């Protein structure tokens, strides 16, 4: 079970056989067909096309009270359609995955920017850690976990899950109309080119809604942040 000062949840669900051995869809630098062998001008155009709207940061992310989000503080991530985000197993097996629950605020999270600073800025690389203790006895930091059978990249929890020695489990908060969206498009590695996408929900056959990376950005998942 998930145990915290905020909530106690009962566990159920389904398992991904990857066990967090996920693929971040990186292009090997030594690939002779890689854009790394292209001209400098082409490289710049390709990088801009990949990171596009997630590239520049600056403005502070604001909570529901209009205050700037601070590193180390706890916040509920609240979808604009109601509900919140919590942790739940899939197939009653660790690790925990981020699940969308429609009838409560879920569990709070802590944002920590990749670069030093106390204010959380739009489009800046950051880690997300759910404030909870679980029976999986592992970190509750958000990581990418690929289910090859479903061809989905889920948001799970744990340590660095990438097959690379480079930790790319960083997310961004971007402005979306009057709200925000969470995206996966880390820029902490100059030579890496992960497949970027906004976070959205995926409904399984049991009606559970899981947080996933949506490369098509076809289902915008707009959220706001409330101080815990």
């Amino acid at each position: 079970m998930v145990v915290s000062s905020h909530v106690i949840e009962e566990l159920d669900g389904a398992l991904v056989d990857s066990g967090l051995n996920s693929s971040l869809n990186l292009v090997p630098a030594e690939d002779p067909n890689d854009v790394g062998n292209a001209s400098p001008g082409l490289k710049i155009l390709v990088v801009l096309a990949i990171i596009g709207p997630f590239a520049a940061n600056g403005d502070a992310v604001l909570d529901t009270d209009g205050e700037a989000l601070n590193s180390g503080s706890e916040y509920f991530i609240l979808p604009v359609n109601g509900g919140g985000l919590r942790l739940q197993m899939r197939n009653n097996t660790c690790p925990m995955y981020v699940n969308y629950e429609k009838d409560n605020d879920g569990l709070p999270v802590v944002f920590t920017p990749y670069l030093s600073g106390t204010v959380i800025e739009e489009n800046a690389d950051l880690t997300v850690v759910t404030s909870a203790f679980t029976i999986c006895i592992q970190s509750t930091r958000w990581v990418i976990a690929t289910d090859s059978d479903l061809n989905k990249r889920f948001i799970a929890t744990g340590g660095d899950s990438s097959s690379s020695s480079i930790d790319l489990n960083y997310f961004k908060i971007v402005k979306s109309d009057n709200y925000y969206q969470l995206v996966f498009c880390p820029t902490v590695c100059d030579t890496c080119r992960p497949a970027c996408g906004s976070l959205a929900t995926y409904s399984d056959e049991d009606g559970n809604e899981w947080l996933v990376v949506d490369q098509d950005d076809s289902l915008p998942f707009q959220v706001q942040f409330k101080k815990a």
Side-chain angles (χ1 to χ4, degrees):
M1 63 180 61
V2 178
V3 182
S4 79
S5 59
H6 304 275
V7 68
I8 298 178
E9 301 284 1
E10 184 173 345
L11 307 174
D12 51 36
L15 168 72
V16 168
D17 68 1
S18 67
L20 289 186
N21 291 320
S22 66
S23 167
L24 293 177
N25 297 332
L26 299 181
V27 180
E30 66 274 11
D31 187 344
N33 297 315
D34 184 69
V35 70
N37 292 319
S39 66
L42 179 58
K43 290 183 193 176
I44 293 173
L45 290 175
V46 171
V47 169
L48 288 176
I50 292 172
I51 64 176
F54 312 139
N57 57 292
D59 292 342
V61 178
L62 305 180
D63 64 17
T64 52
D65 293 323
E67 301 293 332
L69 268 61
N70 290 309
S71 173
S73 296
E74 293 184 341
Y75 297 91
F76 292 102
I77 300 176
L78 304 179
V80 297
N81 293 327
L85 303 177
R86 65 170 188 167
L87 299 181
Q88 183 175 330
M89 287 181 179
R90 302 179 67 221
N91 274 351
N92 294 319
T93 305
C94 291
M96 294 287 181
Y97 288 76
V98 180
N99 173 259
Y100 171 42
E101 184 68 31
K102 295 181 178 179
D103 59 4
N104 61 68
D105 287 349
L107 292 165
V109 303
V110 173
F111 301 109
T112 304
Y114 174 71
L115 300 177
S116 59
T118 58
V119 174
I120 302 300
E121 297 180 342
E122 295 177 15
N123 306 309
D125 291 295
L126 50 83
T127 60
V128 186
V129 177
T130 299
S131 295
F133 298 96
T134 77
I135 60 172
C136 291
I137 314 177
Q138 62 183 179
S139 169
T140 53
R141 177 186 171 188
W142 289 16
V143 297
I144 303 297
T146 299
D147 184 333
S148 55
D149 292 333
L150 294 175
N151 193 29
K152 296 287 184 184
R153 288 183 291 165
F154 287 81
I155 308 302
T157 61
D160 177 22
S161 68
S162 71
S163 57
S164 166
S165 60
I166 301 172
D167 180 6
L168 291 178
N169 290 297
Y170 288 87
F171 300 86
K172 298 174 186 285
I173 299 172
V174 302
K175 195 70 175 177
S176 178
D177 298 323
N178 293 323
Y179 301 102
Y180 295 97
Q181 279 184 270
L182 297 165
V183 303
F184 172 73
C185 195
T187 50
V188 298
C189 169
D190 292 337
T191 60
C192 302
R193 286 170 291 281
C196 298
S198 299
L199 302 196
T201 58
Y202 162 75
S203 298
D204 65 20
E205 59 185 11
D206 296 318
N208 297 305
E209 295 196 48
W210 308 97
L211 209 59
V212 298
V213 178
D214 177 26
Q215 274 185 253
D216 298 327
D217 199 20
S218 57
L219 299 172
F221 188 63
Q222 294 178 312
V223 300
Q224 51 191 341
F225 306 97
K226 184 177 78 172
K227 187 78 177 288

